[in-house]
Structure formats: structure tokens, C-alpha cells
Amino acid sequence: MGKRRPAKPLTSTPRTLHGSRVAATLDLHGMNAHQAQIRLEGFVRAQAAQHPGEVVEVITGKGNRSADGPVLQGLVRDVLDHQLAEFVGDISLARGGGAWLVRLKS
């Protein structure tokens, strides 16, 4: 039999946002674009102050039930990339596609 490699320690730093612990979640389901933007901006600013360097989740849904197609997913990405860029370190679409994972800057 061959030798086994030692297992990686469970305390290692995740390489992606998907393996990170989520510090807080914001659910924007059912909001219009204006409401969602206001809530998102307040949430990210507050979390950046409370949890710098941590990952937060912003649930948008996929937009499959929206009459005019998906709105929130694109809006959230745009706001994170522009208006909130000073607070955002990294962004990734969550598995399943209905949320964004955001690492806040330290």
C-alpha cells in the first residue's frame, strides 16, 4: 500500500469565498430596485465597520419570477462595483446563482 498524505488542517484559510464563513446576510427578495439599493448600501457600510475582512451574503434570488426578468442581481453587482467599491474586496456569485458573496475590505 502507498503512503497517505497528511490531511490539510481544517483551520486553513479558504481559497475562495465559497468556503468562507458568512458573517451576515441581507435578503432583498420582494424589493424593487430603489428599495434594494438603499438597503444594500446601508448593509454593506454597517458590515464593513463591524466585520472588516469578513464575508457577507446578499440574497437577490435568480429573478425567474420577475415580470420583466432579473433586476436585483445585476443591480447589486453594479452597486458593489461602483458606489460601494471602497468597502468591497472580492465578489463572487454564490452556488445556485441567487446570491452574491462579498468579502469586505479590512
Side-chain angles (χ1 to χ4, degrees), residues 30-43:
M31 294 184 194
N32 65 38
H34 180 71
Q35 293 168 327
Q37 183 170 349
I38 291 169
R39 290 286 307 275
L40 175 63
E41 289 178 4
F43 173 76

Side-chain angles (χ1 to χ4, degrees), residues 76-100:
V76 167
R77 180 60 195 239
D78 188 56
V79 171
L80 291 171
D81 282 341
H82 297 97
Q83 291 92 324
L84 296 172
E86 66 185 283
F87 303 104
V88 175
D90 195 14
I91 305 167
S92 179
L93 193 59
R95 291 184 181 108
W100 291 104

Side-chain angles (χ1 to χ4, degrees), residues 14-22 55 92-96 101 103:
R15 293 180 140 182
T16 67
L17 295 177
H18 296 280
S20 299
R21 183 185 71 79
V22 173
V55 174
S92 179
L93 193 59
R95 291 184 181 108
L101 297 172
R103 184 174 309 279

Side-chain angles (χ1 to χ4, degrees), residues 49-70:
Q50 294 174 3
H51 302 286
E54 303 259 350
V55 174
V56 296
E57 178 182 42
V58 180
I59 300 171
T60 60
K62 293 181 184 178
N64 295 339
R65 297 189 187 110
S66 297
D68 297 327

